[in-house]
Amino acid sequence: MADAKVIPFGDGERRGSGKAPKPKTRVNGRGGGRLAPVPEQSSGPSDGARQGAEGAAEGAEGAGAVTGAGSWERKLASGLSFLRRRVTGEYEVDEFGYDKELTDQVLMAAFRPLYEKYFRVEVKGIENIPDSGGALIVANHSGTLPLDGLMLQVGVHDNHPAGRHLRLLAADLVFMLPVVNELARKAGHTLACAEDAQRLLERGEVVGVMPEGFKGIGKPFSERYKLQRFGRGGFVSTALKAGVPIVPCSIVGAEEIYPMIGNARTLARILGFPYFPITPTFPWLGPLGMVPLPTKWTIQFGEPIPTDGYPLEAAEDPMLMFNLTDQVRETIQHTLYKLLVQRRSVFF
């Protein structure tokens, strides 16, 4: 297979900066046909009128059939064109390995049924993410497996008017796992380090971070929706240096997909994992126990916290970083409690 083109960021530095991808354009494949004219009626339904109506119905069916055939032809042509570009290497990736075309046409399409039909995700406050320029989304982390990050990525792209793409910062373990490493890079995820995050923000990307890390995703079910520590506030420093707004994000529903009632720490150390979950279904039911429960999700984006008004040296002020970190954390926690009170049921 031919190698893909690499999008240079510009100045030949360690990673560089480049043009942000154009928003995705959706094409509506629906169409219509002209209906056969119906003769004018005088008093009652005549044979001619009935024939005209039947002709109109046949015309409508014919138009629908042609439209459907055209839609399938376009989909087939698009699919073949996509495969040709993959084989010949006529597609582009950026310096982080992000493959926009593969993400839009394959990965997003694979996660969308889970997002729409299984978890039935409801998104609120999407207008708080700017239409252009960089922004840092800070969200809570939960669920034993990091499905919340994937659903957040689909939610931002499918609900934002500008179809913005979320670039998630992931832990080292993600890039150590075979197959997962490659897919994460293709989907736009990158290592959770300040340098990578700042470069993405400065080039106008929407970056997502979950500061709880493994402490949040691997916490026991008894501590659900109780935020863990947010570390040293490195994400605040990064946002201050890039001068981008911080958007708090609260996710309800992910905590219950794999209720973690135990942790096999010895087995986790042997396998090199931060934890090894024990749930009511796993490992007792084997692979079937890895199927998540179909909970109802809500993702709420809060009002952005601006950072462009601070001086450059503010990023080195530990007290300011502590105050902003605490503000973001309290906003997320308060919103979680509010969403939980409003929720009718875990599953509906």
Side-chain angles (χ1 to χ4, degrees), residues 279-291:
T279 74
T281 58
F282 182 82
W284 326 114
L285 300 182
L288 186 61
M290 298 184 67
V291 177

Side-chain angles (χ1 to χ4, degrees), residues 10 13 18 48 76 79 90 99 156 166 185 192 223 233 246 333:
E13 295 179 3
L76 179 60
E90 296 179 6
D99 189 331
V156 171
L166 180 66
R185 290 286 185 187
E223 297 181 15
I246 300 173
Q333 184 69 83

Side-chain angles (χ1 to χ4, degrees), residues 38-53:
V38 180
E40 295 183 359
Q41 305 295 321
S42 53
S43 56
S46 62
D47 292 339
R50 284 193 298 271
Q51 292 176 359

